[in-house]
Amino acid sequence: MPTAELNGIRIGYDVRGSGPLVVLVMGLGSPGRVWQLHQVPALVRAGHRVATFDNRGIGASEPGPPGMTIDDMVADTAALVEHLGGGPAAVVGTSLGARVVQELLLARPELVSRAVVLAGHGRLDATQQALSAGECALHDAGIALPPRYRAAVTALHNLSPRTRADPVAVRDWLDLFEMSDPAAGPGVRAQLALAEFEDRGPAYRAITVPTLVVGFADDQMIPAHLSRELAAAIPGAEYAEVADCGHFGYLERPDEVNALLVGFLGAC
């Protein structure tokens, strides 16, 4: 993975394909390469140049100074768009990455031609904030949950009932979660702290960039009603909901999600 000095830190990124630029912004704690399983190939086939990157403090990207803010992550994304040609580019984000994209649409709209936010949201409810606070407390106390238990909790939080009811599929997911459960580092800890924020719905009424909001019908982390609420706040936003998938809908139902991405961003 190449790196570049962007917004004062080294950011690891990857670019594939040719054509109009699409930048994909990953969610909490995950590296950019997660997009490469399904979304990157679909967008490259559709004629796009697709950039993925590790958010600060994750993977190949430096953490930067203490006290990470959402504005830092927005500035990192803007710097990558500028580094890759200056835009305007299509930008796609999921979960925390969706928040980054939403704030980018306010801070630097000239860099974005179209935006897609998966599990987009303008606020979190008390349960979601309490879960993030609990994860922070576990990290600060140096408590590491047993990998198999952590895998089961991850499955409950992020997969749909349909997937969990399939004994073969859920076993594969549990094995994957268990093998890919590194100890939460300072980058993940800093991202978890970003769960405390005020309702941004009123601010998002100022967004002018064409936006597609995608909700996942069985999402326990960002319930679909929050995504519908966000779409209603953004003037002219389109809304789509993917059935039978949870928070990892782009991995559970990649064909449906990819069809929405290509349909909104266009095939070149």
Side-chain angles (χ1 to χ4, degrees), residues 38-98:
H38 298 295
Q39 283 67 52
V40 170
L43 289 167
V44 168
R45 286 194 300 270
H48 295 278
R49 179 168 61 115
V50 186
T52 59
F53 68 103
D54 293 342
N55 286 312
R56 59 172 54 205
I58 304 299
S61 295
E62 293 177 338
M68 179 196 300
T69 67
I70 196 74
D71 291 339
D72 292 327
M73 298 181 71
V74 170
D76 294 344
T77 306
L80 180 61
V81 173
E82 292 174 325
H83 178 70
L84 295 175
V91 186
V92 179
T94 187
S95 192
L96 176 59

Side-chain angles (χ1 to χ4, degrees), residues 198-223:
E198 295 183 356
D199 184 355
R200 295 289 290 159
Y204 293 151
R205 296 191 185 109
I207 290 175
T208 59
V209 176
T211 302
L212 170 65
V213 180
V214 179
F216 300 134
D218 297 321
D219 195 337
Q220 299 296 308
M221 303 298 286
I222 306 293

Side-chain angles (χ1 to χ4, degrees), residues 72-252:
D72 292 327
M73 298 181 71
V74 170
D76 294 344
T77 306
L80 180 61
V81 173
E82 292 174 325
H83 178 70
L84 295 175
V91 186
V92 179
T94 187
S95 192
L96 176 59
R99 274 186 64 204
V100 172
V101 173
Q102 292 155 202
E103 296 297 332
L104 179 67
L105 299 182
L106 293 176
R108 299 293 306 275
E110 76 281 3
L111 293 180
V112 187
S113 57
R114 297 175 82 77
V116 181
V117 289
L118 310 176
H121 54 290
R123 64 182 178 90
L124 295 176
D125 66 27
T127 301
Q128 294 144 358
Q129 291 178 333
L131 179 62
S132 293
E135 293 280 358
C136 289
L138 288 172
H139 177 277
D140 296 346
I143 297 172
L145 298 177
R148 197 61 175 175
Y149 177 72
R150 168 68 77 171
V153 171
T154 301
L156 286 169
H157 286 167
N158 295 285
L159 300 179
S160 67
R162 176 175 172 175
T163 296
R164 298 199 311 270
D166 182 329
V168 175
V170 76
R171 190 178 301 114
D172 290 342
W173 279 105
L174 288 169
D175 289 344
L176 175 64
F177 292 150
E178 185 173 4
M179 289 186 296
S180 60
D181 179 35
V188 176
R189 172 62 176 82
Q191 289 185 2
L192 285 166
L194 300 181
E196 290 286 342
F197 67 97
E198 295 183 356
D199 184 355
R200 295 289 290 159
Y204 293 151
R205 296 191 185 109
I207 290 175
T208 59
V209 176
T211 302
L212 170 65
V213 180
V214 179
F216 300 134
D218 297 321
D219 195 337
Q220 299 296 308
M221 303 298 286
I222 306 293
H225 72 85
L226 292 181
S227 296
R228 291 192 293 270
E229 182 180 286
L230 172 68
I234 298 175
E238 298 181 29
Y239 178 74
E241 191 164 303
V242 183
D244 295 322
C245 62
H247 195 58
F248 289 166
Y250 56 97
L251 298 176
E252 277 191 279

